[in-house]
């Protein structure tokens, strides 16, 4: 893969990110798929009022969010994410034009690499992209040959009919009503554990979600286990499942 990159002129993206440790890991562990990600400023960070993560306060994920992990620790990266988010909120048509242009560039990049293009639109946001339309079509309809995937905190999203979109629901115990939805949500569930991963959680097999980010490669009916990182290591709201005993007892 690195040798291929030397032969390819890398496109310049306005919205999609080329720098993500987890995405890079996913791109290197297999030869079939290639991925890019969109990072926005999470929750209401962009202007202090409007949120792009509607369940952030319910699930208590706004404080332990990985927004400041990796490249996110740099102020210029944070400012870039805020600018992108304000563009989405205030100049939607321009934002979507840039996004479509970026995905088209990415398809070209993947064509040269002989890879299947995959895009994660909610790197640090939780936008319901199935409802974001351009001339009456959402991005999944505009790009039927691109595989899209995301995590979501929104338990009511209905996307099973969208064949090129894979969702993993992100669990939290910070809210009792929210936690009780575990058995009702039909897609795979992601759970953040404070330390090592248990074998099962609430009777469901746990797989290691830290090995890669391409959740559409996961088997069905599993819990995607993630270990707490960055600010999440100090989170005791219930977003992070505290220990193996709690994981097995629930």
């Amino acid at each position: 893969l690195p040798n291929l990159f030397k032969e390819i002129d890398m496109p310049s993206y306005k919205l999609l990110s080329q720098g993500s440790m987890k995405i890079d890991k996913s791109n290197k562990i297999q030869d079939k798929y290639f991925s890019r990600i969109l990072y926005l400023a999470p929750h209401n960070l962009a202007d202090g009022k409007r949120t792009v993560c509607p369940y952030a306060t319910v699930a208590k994920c706004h404080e332990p969010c990985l927004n400041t992990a990796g490249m996110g620790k740099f102020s210029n990266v944070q400012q870039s994410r805020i600018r992108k988010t304000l563009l989405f909120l205030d100049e939607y048509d321009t934002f979507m034009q840039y996004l479509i242009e970026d995905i088209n560039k990415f398809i070209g990049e993947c064509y040269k690499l002989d890879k299947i293009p995959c895009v994660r639109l909610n790197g640090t946001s939780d936008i319901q992209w199935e409802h974001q339309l351009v001339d009456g079509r959402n991005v999944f309809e505009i790009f039927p040959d691109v595989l899209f995937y995301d995590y979501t905190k929104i338990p009511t999203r209905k996307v099973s009919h969208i064949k090129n979109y894979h969702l993993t629901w992100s669990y939290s115990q910070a809210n009792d009503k929210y936690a009780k939805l575990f058995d009702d949500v039909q897609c795979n569930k992601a759970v953040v554990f404070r330390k090592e991963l248990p074998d099962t959680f609430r009777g469901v097999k746990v797989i290691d979600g830290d090995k890669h980010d391409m959740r559409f490669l996961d088997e069905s009916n599993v819990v995607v286990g993630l270990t707490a990182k960055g600010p999440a290591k100090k989170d005791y709201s219930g977003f992070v499942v505290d220990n193996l005993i709690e994981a097995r007892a629930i």
Side-chain angles (χ1 to χ4, degrees), residues 169 171-183 202:
W169 182 57
Y171 175 82
S172 173
Q173 294 176 180
N175 178 284
D176 289 341
K177 186 177 180 180
Y178 186 88
K180 289 177 180 178
L181 294 171
F182 183 92
D183 294 326
R202 295 184 61 159

Side-chain angles (χ1 to χ4, degrees), residues 125-226:
S125 57
D126 199 1
I127 295 168
Q128 298 181 73
W129 292 101
E130 61 271 24
H131 300 317
Q132 308 302 318
L133 304 182
V134 176
D135 295 329
R137 296 188 298 166
N138 60 41
V139 69
F140 315 117
E141 294 168 319
I142 295 171
F143 297 103
D145 295 326
V146 175
L147 289 175
F148 295 89
Y149 64 103
D150 277 318
Y151 293 92
T152 186
K153 284 286 190 305
I154 306 171
T156 55
R157 293 179 71 179
K158 307 295 184 185
V159 299
S160 60
H161 64 288
I162 304 176
K163 302 306 180 184
N164 60 330
Y165 192 33
H166 184 281
L167 271 185
T168 300
W169 182 57
S170 184
Y171 175 82
S172 173
Q173 294 176 180
N175 178 284
D176 289 341
K177 186 177 180 180
Y178 186 88
K180 289 177 180 178
L181 294 171
F182 183 92
D183 294 326
D184 297 328
V185 175
Q186 297 303 306
C187 57
N188 286 349
K189 293 93 170 172
V191 179
V192 180
F193 296 96
R194 191 166 307 282
K195 295 183 180 178
E196 61 270 17
L197 305 181
D199 294 329
T200 63
F201 179 77
R202 295 184 61 159
V204 181
K205 175 184 175 181
V206 175
I207 65 170
D208 187 351
D210 287 325
K211 289 183 176 180
H212 64 83
D213 191 60
M214 294 179 172
R215 299 275 66 90
F216 56 88
L217 295 177
D218 297 338
E219 57 190 291
S220 299
N221 303 313
V222 295
V223 164
V224 179
L226 304 166

Side-chain angles (χ1 to χ4, degrees), residues 1-45:
L1 189 60
N3 291 333
L4 286 174
F5 278 118
K6 293 178 181 179
E7 302 171 6
I8 293 175
D9 292 328
M10 298 290 288
S12 175
Y13 295 111
K14 294 180 179 178
L15 297 178
L16 295 181
S17 175
Q18 294 168 285
S20 168
M21 290 181 63
K22 202 165 188 182
I23 293 293
D24 289 345
K25 183 192 296 185
S26 300
N27 287 337
K28 291 175 181 177
I29 65 168
Q30 48 72 49
D31 295 324
K32 185 175 182 180
Y33 303 97
F34 200 69
S35 186
R36 292 289 182 222
I37 191 168
L38 171 63
Y39 284 117
L40 299 179
H43 190 29
N44 61 2
L45 184 62

